[in-house]
Amino acid sequence: MWHDTAPPAPSRPPLPGTHDADVVVVGAGYTGLWTAYSLAVADPSLRIVVVEAEQVGHGASGRNGGWCSALFPASLPSLAAAAGRDAALAQHRAMRATVDEVARTAAAEGIDCHLAKGGTVVVARNRAQWGRARAEVAAARTWDRGEDDLRLLDAREATGVLRASGTVGATYTPDCAAIHPARLVRGLADACERHGVTIHESTRVTAIEPGRARTAAGDVRADVVVRATEGYTPLLPGQRRAVVPVYSLMIATEPLPQAVWDEIGLARRETFSDHRHLVIYGQRTADDRLAFGGRGAPYHLGSRVSPAFDRDERVFAGLYATLVDLFPVLAGTRVTHAWGGPLGIARDWCASVGLDRRTGLAWAGGYVGDGVATTNLAGRTLRDLVLGHDTDLVRLPWVGHHSPAWEPEPLRWLGINAGLRATRLADAEESLTRRPSLLARATAPLLG
Ligand SMILES: Cc1cc2nc3c(=O)[nH]c(=O)nc-3n(C[C@H](O)[C@H](O)[C@H](O)COP(=O)(O)OP(=O)(O)OC[C@H]3O[C@@H](n4cnc5c(N)ncnc54)[C@H](O)[C@@H]3O)c2cc1C
């Protein structure tokens, strides 16, 4: 849907043969392109090459829900446990600022990615969800996060933003912009090229080594090699257990008439979810469709990634049923597109970015479902690391963080799929009992 509703993209030639550069970036999603862009703007003399196996935006960057948010996959308590309270709060502040940084750069580069900073509303639709909403706001206050950061909305305020069925209240944060993902990734690639970056498509990197990225056509030799392959990382030699590819799937409706939007709300294109355990997410697109997604697709043994996994009719049907349950006015509405893609999850659910000065190998990833803004922070951070600039960005706690490796199979498969199943059952239990799930409490370590 995103690629269907974006202007046509140019096709870029594959790598013609062995080539020398200063920096080679593997992967032309947001991570790779924000990194190349930030470096090229900071030092126009650098020779920067981006190598992409398919086309610009082929991965999650061209397929996502378009929440450009301040969400970071690791919680404040877990960041604080590793790096201290001040460092955890610095990460949170950096994420909030990044949402505006994406908007600023998009405007400066003339990237029309349909950005609307309406914030995010997360509704509570039963007593258990309402308890979690209140607990989340109470916890935020203990981190000095005030009303300007996260607010509790009563039922009247909540339904003034989003009229989801059964709403008893909501949380609201202003720190999110709805975007058109493919327009952002394609616009970013064009901006990179305007700043002198070379992008090669249809060129798969077969190995990343100090000083080179290997491809069938030849090597790109460079002092710095940046791995920006996120959910596809396990396919690279030596990276099988670095992150797991977990699929998130989406559907989109046809453009909806104003009368339907009068029933639903989202007048400022707020992104939305509810406080269930399984992640769901939605946005009103600039052309008035409802784009809606969720996790819950199975993890595939051996961290396999395949176009066949982008579609799962059972999950699509479940998403449609959830959408109609949230907004009964949508019953019978036509779904025009359905798709999915892999995101990357590190074993400790903490995204990370870093550069090993000894080998020149750099990486960023493990964003779970929160990569749209975080990749921009990663790109600016890699810029400072590569250029040796001692900035606030390179002192954030996720910099140089090494997540443990995932378990070998079949333990990995058993654990992840048991977690997904427990999540679904916990939501079903809560919608029946309206009370906090006992199962969720018992299986908390699996729920991530
Ligand atoms: C359905 C879905 C919904 C999502 N919704 C949201 C959301 O609303 N908000 C949010 O913040 N995040 C969301 N995410 C996550 C977000 O999209 C990602 O975190 C982000 O796009 C990651 O960007 P990336 O550049 O690191 O990875 P990707 O965009 O996956 O890019 C990696 C690129 O590397 C290329 N590549 C891989 N291997 C090789 C190789 N060997 N050689 C050359 N190239 C290679 C791939 O083809 C791909 O283009 C969602 C993800 C999915 C799948």
Side-chain angles (χ1 to χ4, degrees):
M1 190 274 282
W2 301 124
H3 289 282
D4 266 5
T5 57
S11 104
R12 294 159 170 104
L15 183 76
T18 293
H19 188 84
D20 288 321
D22 296 308
V23 179
V24 57
V25 176
V26 183
Y30 300 140
T31 299
L33 295 171
W34 280 123
T35 304
Y37 173 84
S38 307
L39 278 167
V41 169
D43 183 350
S45 73
L46 283 176
R47 295 166 303 160
I48 305 166
V49 174
V50 179
V51 186
E52 163 59 46
E54 307 283 344
Q55 284 79 41
V56 161
H58 167 80
S61 301
R63 310 176 184 215
N64 61 73
W67 286 37
C68 179
S69 78
L71 294 169
F72 186 77
S75 67
L76 282 169
S78 69
L79 285 173
R85 182 181 169 91
D86 289 349
L89 284 169
Q91 183 81 42
H92 179 63
R93 279 194 302 275
M95 286 303 308
R96 295 187 75 189
T98 297
V99 177
D100 292 328
E101 178 62 22
V102 172
R104 190 196 64 73
T105 311
E109 291 291 347
I111 302 172
D112 180 11
C113 60
H114 296 171
L115 187 145
K117 193 178 175 196
T120 299
V121 62
V122 183
V123 292
R125 298 170 64 232
N126 60 41
R127 202 141 54 87
Q129 291 189 9
W130 182 231
R132 275 199 293 283
R134 282 184 313 189
E136 188 185 330
V137 173
R141 298 294 176 262
T142 69
W143 289 91
D144 306 326
R145 295 175 56 199
E147 291 267 305
D148 66 316
D149 181 331
L150 187 70
R151 274 199 310 133
L152 200 61
L153 307 185
D154 63 23
R156 193 184 50 80
E157 290 173 302
T159 49
V161 181
L162 178 70
R163 277 174 289 290
S165 64
T167 295
V168 294
T171 50
Y172 174 80
T173 174
D175 295 324
C176 185
I179 57 133
H180 183 302
R183 281 175 161 263
L184 177 60
V185 75
R186 291 184 186 183
L188 204 47
D190 295 343
C192 282
E193 288 175 327
R194 283 197 299 277
H195 288 276
V197 173
T198 304
I199 303 175
H200 291 293
E201 295 183 326
S202 310
T203 308
R204 181 168 299 281
V205 167
T206 52
I208 289 178
E209 296 167 6
R212 72 190 63 225
R214 289 194 185 277
T215 82
D219 298 351
V220 184
R221 295 187 295 233
D223 291 340
V224 176
V225 186
V226 181
R227 165 166 63 74
T229 48
E230 190 59 341
Y232 306 87
T233 303
L235 307 180
L236 284 165
Q239 303 290 337
R240 180 152 289 273
R241 290 160 59 193
V243 291
V244 288
V246 167
Y247 276 75
S248 201
L249 268 54
M250 295 194 68
I251 57 174
T253 68
E254 60 194 333
L256 303 170
Q258 186 55 45
V260 172
W261 286 111
D262 290 343
E263 293 278 314
I264 294 176
L266 303 179
R268 296 168 52 237
R269 293 189 54 216
E270 296 87 348
T271 54
F272 72 91
S273 180
D274 73 12
H275 278 280
R276 75 185 63 200
H277 293 286
L278 191 72
V279 172
I280 57 164
Y281 48 90
Q283 73 147 291
R284 174 181 183 172
T285 64
D287 63 351
D288 277 340
R289 297 165 191 270
L290 212 156
F292 184 69
R295 298 216 198 115
Y299 161 79
H300 301 277
L301 186 71
S303 292
R304 279 176 305 143
V305 175
S306 158
F309 305 153
D310 294 350
R311 301 189 61 85
D312 184 322
E313 299 307 326
R314 193 187 47 85
V315 176
F316 292 147
L319 286 171
Y320 187 74
T322 304
L323 198 56
V324 173
D325 179 46
L326 282 160
F327 311 113
V329 65
L330 291 182
T333 297
R334 202 163 66 90
V335 165
T336 56
H337 296 80
W339 70 97
L343 42 83
I345 305 184
R347 181 64 184 90
D348 58 359
W349 289 67
C350 189
S352 65
V353 55
L355 164 68
D356 180 342
R357 289 196 184 288
R358 205 173 36 84
T359 58
L361 297 179
W363 79 93
Y367 312 107
V368 190
D370 303 329
V372 173
T374 319
T375 48
N376 169 282
L377 184 63
R380 289 183 290 127
T381 304
L382 283 169
R383 169 199 64 198
D384 292 352
L385 290 170
V386 170
L387 299 179
H389 293 166
D390 183 19
T391 60
D392 289 347
L393 294 186
V394 304
R395 283 189 290 273
L396 292 173
W398 73 320
V399 178
H401 172 79
H402 288 278
S403 300
W406 279 91
E407 287 76 1
E409 297 289 22
L411 283 180
R412 192 156 77 228
W413 180 87
L414 283 168
I416 295 167
N417 285 325
L420 286 168
R421 177 159 293 220
T423 310
R424 273 197 300 272
L425 289 174
D427 286 325
E429 181 191 342
E430 285 185 355
S431 61
L432 275 177
T433 65
R434 327 299 283 178
R435 281 199 289 276
S437 161
L438 297 173
L439 181 71
R441 206 174 311 162
T443 56
L446 290 176
L447 299 180

